[in-house]
Amino acid sequence: MNSFRHRPRPRALRVRSFACAGVAGLLFLAPACSSADDRAEAAVPSPDEEVAGLCRDLDEALPGKVDGRDRTDPEPASDLTAGWGSPAIILRCGIPRPAVMSDPDQVTAEIDGMAWVVEELDGGAYRFTTGLRRAYVEVTLPAEVAEETGSFALVDLVPAIERTIPEELAD
């Protein structure tokens, strides 16, 4: 796994495993393609009503900026997805349990006290998925963001997730 280059920040980041998670779970990749108006696209999850309600609460609590990038939500518009900047950091809430979470060699990280599963994607992008939460929240960092700031872009998202998505295992 490549190391992230990042600006020093007073935040905690601990990687617990260095084994590459591989391509398991790529089915859940949220595409971040450019459209005619340069807005990203993201597949909208279809969670049950309880999880959808938690995700709507998260959407209202999300910051207007992540790592200095303005919020510009992807298409199609949904309160289960959010985006920041271009190329976009994409958040999807209420995704199904990723297959990589069953991999005993999964790469995990703790960012400001929140557990994440980390996957390196093609082209240098990374996908982070919360663990130990009632709803799975996935954040995809395009290669440019991963190279510039690494997982520290997630630091801005942790408080909103902590406030709205309870700590317990999702189904």
Side-chain angles (χ1 to χ4, degrees):
M1 173 179 272
N2 295 331
S3 297
F4 289 112
R5 288 185 295 156
H6 60 278
R7 295 177 288 206
R9 293 189 184 190
R11 304 293 187 175
L13 168 65
R14 292 186 299 189
V15 176
R16 294 186 175 171
S17 171
F18 292 97
C20 183
V23 294
L26 284 180
L27 178 62
F28 303 108
L29 174 62
C33 306
S34 245
S35 64
D37 66 358
D38 205 29
R39 290 184 65 179
E41 295 178 7
V44 177
S46 300
D48 65 33
E49 191 53 40
E50 178 191 357
V51 170
L54 294 172
C55 293
R56 283 190 291 275
D57 292 344
L58 173 60
D59 185 62
E60 291 177 16
L62 288 171
K65 287 186 181 274
V66 168
D67 197 41
R69 293 163 172 81
D70 290 326
R71 184 167 175 176
T72 307
D73 288 344
E75 294 291 332
S78 171
D79 50 7
L80 304 178
T81 62
W84 295 266
S86 180
I89 297 168
I90 298 291
L91 177 145
R92 297 187 323 136
C93 183
I95 65 166
R97 183 178 191 273
V100 72
M101 290 200 170
S102 298
D103 182 349
D105 295 324
Q106 64 184 288
V107 177
T108 61
E110 185 176 293
I111 301 168
D112 273 4
M114 184 170 291
W116 299 82
V117 172
V118 183
E119 298 172 84
E120 184 175 3
L121 307 175
D122 291 338
Y126 283 83
R127 178 174 44 226
F128 293 78
T129 306
T130 57
L132 309 175
R133 296 270 159 192
R134 179 65 191 106
Y136 293 107
V137 178
E138 171 192 278
V139 179
T140 303
L141 302 180
E144 295 86 344
V145 174
E147 289 175 13
E148 183 181 319
T149 65
S151 61
F152 289 105
L154 300 174
V155 169
D156 294 333
L157 298 171
V158 168
I161 296 169
E162 285 179 332
R163 283 193 311 270
T164 58
I165 309 294
E167 282 188 272
E168 59 184 77
L169 293 177
D171 294 331

